[in-house]
Amino acid sequence: MSFCPTEGPLRVTVRNGVVESAQVIGSGAQVTGAQLGWVPTIPDVFAALAYAVDLPAATFSARYDPTWGFPVEASIDHWAQAVDDEIGYRLSAFAPLP
């Protein structure tokens, strides 16, 4: 059982710090309603990583974009003995909006 709000990678547009749209890449389905609120922005990902470091998480790893400095890949397991607490992030194809 998974508690993921969407299935598969998303193409996300953030404007002025707010998720404007999110689309499931594989199916093209738009993420709407309450599920859109679960889509993290880059600052949200940084906050999740900071929480994992502060906790400290059982396991934590992250790689960062050399140009922009945001996490391009991160993996967190908050508690070694818990089930379904793991989370992973992969950010790619970043482009600033004009």
Side-chain angles (χ1 to χ4, degrees):
M1 173 179 237
S2 172
F3 298 101
C4 301
T6 63
E7 294 296 324
L10 302 174
R11 177 171 290 114
V12 179
T13 301
V14 176
R15 191 176 307 274
N16 298 321
V18 177
V19 175
E20 187 174 86
S21 66
Q23 180 182 35
V24 179
I25 291 174
S27 68
Q30 291 292 321
V31 178
T32 60
Q35 285 187 330
L36 197 58
W38 285 93
V39 177
T41 63
I42 290 175
D44 293 334
V45 175
F46 271 114
L49 300 184
Y51 176 75
V53 169
D54 290 345
L55 190 57
T59 62
F60 170 84
S61 66
R63 289 186 314 105
Y64 297 86
D65 182 270
T67 302
W68 296 95
F70 65 85
V72 293
E73 191 167 7
S75 177
I76 303 166
D77 184 359
H78 290 104
W79 299 278
Q81 302 304 318
V83 176
D84 274 349
D85 67 308
E86 301 85 2
I87 189 162
Y89 298 97
R90 185 170 295 138
L91 289 76
S92 62
F94 170 82
L97 293 173

